Amino acid sequence: MSAEIVKAKPLRVNVRTPEVMERVHAEVEVHYRSVLVENLRKAGGFMAVGNTTIRLAKDFGFCYGVERAIDLAYAARRVFADRRVFLLGEIIHNPEVNRQLTEMGIISIPIHQHEEAAAKLEAADVVIVPAFGAETRLMEIISQRGCLVVDTTCGDVMSVWKRVRGYAKQGFTSIIHGKATHEETRATSSRALGDKGDGHFLVLLTLGDVDYVCDYIRHGGNREEFLQRFGKDASLGFDPDLHLKRVGVANQTTMLKSETEELQRRVLRAIRDRDGENAIADNFQVFDTICGATQERQDSLFEMLRKPLDVLLVVGGYNSSNTTHLVEIGEKQLPTFFIRTAECLKSFSEIVHFDLHQRAEKTSYSHKLASSDPVTVGVTAGASCPNNLIEDTILRVFQLRGISFELVMEEAAKACKSE
Ligand code: SF4
């Protein structure tokens, strides 16, 4: 089967032909669909069976960018059935989805080997760029090798790139709120160097980092200490005495909205204190680049938390940024378990979950779930979590509460009809 070549360099190909997409959609449905979750959504996200109630957030799970990336990866495999198909790292941050792609024969290149492995690619190879995008240098190597590229970079990520490129063009340093090692932030940082490569960036993650930088903006400080702390998260040659004069703020698309806004406010105040109100327009720019899907999932969780809940389960990959922020929101209010799959619910005395503070999996006990008292469990999932994993989690909760699969499916069907 042939594919239409859209651009010459890199050799991006369009694999979304109607014939291919029909097969892809059928396959994706089989792998990730859940009738239970669809019924629950139709029923307003509420379902009670016996003494167990489940509340599902209004917005959860796969976002448009992730759906598109998965569709394109599946389509690439179909269209180029007789070629080697590589993926730069992970298509999205969900181990189940990445496992499916590996089973389909798509070869993942680990992030720390990207450039080395790309240099060995052959012109006949196909390379899938994940939803997070990829660094400019890596894309150049892939172009030089002459490979075909299936680019699944999300449009929301590309709009951040446009913004930071614009900052570089105007001589502004990009301050990027994000995790410096995250694929998306690495890709964005590379664009912040600008088309001529002479731009600068500084990636900040915590508000503690922000305060340190704001203090430097206001009063200057110890340059060596600054570089020791932030050197690896800044552009080559970054000099805090030169490159914090004019700054533009952007962010990884999946950050916690409230924290990103706080960073913007603090940097703005620091520039105002240093340069005065009249110079703000010349020395400060900001553009909120949190994506719509991340925002909706955070807002939906806040809305769900306004109702009484005993426990919150957040389902998703432990390295998923947007999922992590859902956990942060939940754990401020109630017992929250960040689980990868339903298998983490071994029993209610043995819940395997990820502790964000210790950055490790641990095992905990939930008195509330283990008791025979009525319980209301909130469920949500990040933008990279498929519905079938959410279904498995809900069914597992009911099973451990002594409620059968058949009864749950029957009640869910009834609940959605009565809505
Ligand atoms: S989380 Fe946002 S930026 Fe990431 S793929 Fe989804 S829509 Fe795009």
Side-chain angles (χ1 to χ4, degrees):
M1 194 178 298
S2 68
E4 176 198 346
I5 293 181
V6 175
K7 280 188 185 173
K9 203 178 177 233
L11 289 169
R12 290 195 170 88
V13 285
N14 176 20
V15 287
R16 288 168 78 99
T17 61
E19 178 197 340
V20 171
M21 292 321 285
E22 200 179 316
R23 287 175 60 193
V24 161
H25 286 145
E27 223 171 347
V28 168
E29 283 267 297
V30 170
H31 286 162
Y32 307 118
R33 189 182 172 206
S34 157
V35 173
L36 174 66
V37 169
E38 282 160 26
N39 283 344
L40 201 43
R41 201 198 279 266
K42 284 186 208 147
F46 176 88
M47 182 182 170
V49 189
N51 62 359
T52 304
T53 300
I54 295 285
R55 279 194 185 281
L56 190 59
K58 184 163 160 282
D59 290 296
F60 60 88
F62 276 2
C63 60
Y64 44 85
V66 161
E67 278 178 354
R68 178 175 166 276
I70 292 173
D71 281 0
L72 286 171
Y74 275 60
R77 183 65 283 177
R78 292 289 147 248
V79 170
F80 300 107
D82 52 352
R83 295 198 191 197
R84 297 196 302 176
V85 178
F86 292 89
L87 167 66
L88 301 177
E90 302 184 333
I91 189 81
I92 54 168
H93 285 154
N94 187 283
E96 174 59 20
V97 175
N98 289 303
R99 188 189 60 75
Q100 285 284 3
L101 296 185
T102 305
E103 270 185 17
M104 289 161 64
I106 294 177
I107 308 154
S108 169
I109 303 176
I111 192 164
H112 58 278
Q113 290 172 13
H114 275 174
E115 290 198 12
E116 193 189 327
K120 293 183 191 149
L121 291 169
E122 291 166 15
D125 293 332
V126 177
V127 179
I128 302 172
V129 177
F132 323 105
E135 292 164 75
T136 49
R137 160 107 188 105
L138 180 59
M139 292 309 294
E140 271 160 31
I141 298 172
I142 292 166
S143 298
Q144 282 160 13
R145 303 300 302 160
C147 307
L148 292 178
V149 172
V150 175
D151 191 348
T152 82
T153 308
C154 179
D156 286 15
V157 172
M158 285 197 269
S159 76
V160 189
W161 295 354
K162 189 173 165 205
R163 181 59 49 172
V164 296
R165 270 200 178 108
Y167 289 156
K169 208 170 176 181
Q170 298 167 72
F172 279 60
T173 293
S174 291
I175 290 188
I176 303 166
H177 183 215
K179 194 171 179 194
T181 52
H182 189 284
E183 296 94 315
E184 181 193 316
T185 298
R186 288 170 63 150
T188 297
S189 300
S190 69
R191 268 85 189 174
L193 298 176
D195 297 335
K196 293 186 195 149
D198 57 355
H200 284 281
F201 66 83
L202 173 65
V203 181
L204 300 178
L205 181 61
T206 68
L207 289 176
D209 291 343
V210 175
D211 285 341
Y212 184 98
V213 171
C214 286
D215 198 47
Y216 205 99
I217 289 174
R218 284 190 181 91
H219 312 294
N222 183 327
R223 186 173 168 280
E224 295 317 311
E225 184 189 277
F226 187 104
L227 291 174
Q228 210 156 31
R229 179 163 174 168
F230 296 110
K232 66 181 185 338
D233 301 336
S235 46
L236 202 64
F238 182 91
D239 183 340
D241 295 330
L242 298 176
H243 300 127
L244 289 174
K245 296 215 180 305
R246 304 173 81 207
V247 299
V249 179
N251 49 269
Q252 193 178 307
T253 53
T254 49
M255 300 307 280
L256 189 61
K257 171 104 175 154
S258 55
E259 213 168 82
T260 283
E261 287 175 343
E262 188 54 32
L263 176 145
Q264 294 163 358
R265 275 193 292 272
R266 290 186 193 189
V267 176
L268 170 63
R269 277 202 299 266
I271 299 281
R272 182 187 286 127
D273 290 349
R274 185 189 65 190
D275 303 335
E277 188 71 36
N278 292 340
I280 287 177
D282 291 333
N283 297 339
F284 178 79
Q285 292 188 54
V286 64
F287 187 75
D288 187 350
T289 53
I290 300 261
C291 79
T294 296
Q295 187 56 57
E296 282 162 11
R297 277 148 194 73
Q298 291 177 11
D299 290 347
S300 291
L301 177 56
F302 280 122
E303 193 185 316
M304 184 166 77
L305 292 174
R306 280 201 281 275
K307 295 168 186 144
L309 290 179
D310 297 302
V311 172
L312 177 68
L313 299 176
V314 181
V315 193
Y318 296 156
N319 55 348
S320 159
S321 166
N322 77 92
T323 313
T324 299
H325 297 308
L326 296 177
V327 177
E328 282 170 2
I329 292 170
E331 66 182 16
K332 286 200 177 110
Q333 214 166 307
L334 81 171
T336 297
F337 298 99
F338 183 4
I339 58 172
R340 222 166 355 97
T341 61
E343 282 166 27
C344 292
L345 300 174
K346 294 186 184 305
S347 72
F348 291 141
S349 344
E350 204 183 349
I351 301 176
V352 178
H353 62 109
F354 192 72
D355 185 311
L356 290 183
H357 312 282
Q358 295 173 9
R359 307 290 320 153
E361 246 187 358
K362 67 181 201 188
T363 302
S364 299
Y365 177 84
S366 169
H367 291 275
K368 193 70 203 182
L369 285 170
S371 80
S372 54
D373 296 341
V375 70
T376 302
V377 182
V379 177
T380 191
S384 46
C385 182
N387 279 359
N388 63 319
L389 297 189
I390 302 168
E391 169 176 310
D392 292 349
T393 300
I394 294 170
L395 287 171
R396 182 68 178 150
V397 170
F398 279 120
Q399 186 194 30
L400 290 171
R401 299 276 298 169
I403 298 162
S404 73
F405 168 82
E406 291 74 17
L407 186 57
V408 174
M409 297 308 271
E410 204 178 297
E411 291 296 323
K414 270 197 239 160
C416 96
K417 278 189 195 128
S418 65
E419 272 301 301

